[in-house]
Amino acid sequence: MRRSPRPAGPTQFERTSPYFDAAASPEKPRWLLVDVKALRKTRLLSLAELRATPALADLLVLKKGSRLSITPVSDEHWHLIVDGLLAVPRA
């Protein structure tokens, strides 16, 4: 996956926006826009498959209350998933 950073999300500064954030300023935005482009199609990975991988035991998305859309993934975990789990066809 290729990520390209974008400027601050403009709606955080717009008072009429449902995404307005009074703590955000153009100098110190609270969130940024990011374009994501898939470089290849992969198979689906289930949470059960991730949980069954001991090296991913501390992956944040597997912790109770985590949301995939906002959960960071370390480089170590990313490479383990992409180069390990996704490289092996599902049985």
Side-chain angles (χ1 to χ4, degrees):
M1 204 175 306
R2 184 177 320 147
R3 296 177 292 173
S4 58
R6 293 287 182 208
T11 55
Q12 65 188 307
F13 311 122
E14 298 170 4
R15 291 190 181 280
T16 57
S17 169
Y19 306 108
F20 174 69
D21 188 333
S25 71
E27 297 77 29
K28 287 191 147 192
R30 304 264 294 191
W31 49 272
L32 304 174
L33 294 177
V34 178
D35 288 339
V36 178
K37 179 181 178 183
L39 300 178
R40 67 175 189 228
K41 189 172 182 174
T42 65
R43 68 180 180 84
L44 296 177
L45 282 173
S46 69
L47 283 174
E49 190 174 0
L50 294 173
R51 285 190 175 106
T53 306
L56 297 176
D58 58 342
L59 184 65
L60 289 177
V61 75
L62 300 180
K63 305 292 182 197
K64 187 174 182 169
S66 292
R67 290 181 26 211
L68 179 60
S69 63
I70 59 169
T71 305
V73 176
S74 71
D75 287 342
E76 179 184 350
H77 287 147
W78 177 258
H79 290 293
L80 178 64
I81 292 166
V82 173
D83 301 332
L85 293 177
L86 288 175
V88 177
R90 186 183 299 172

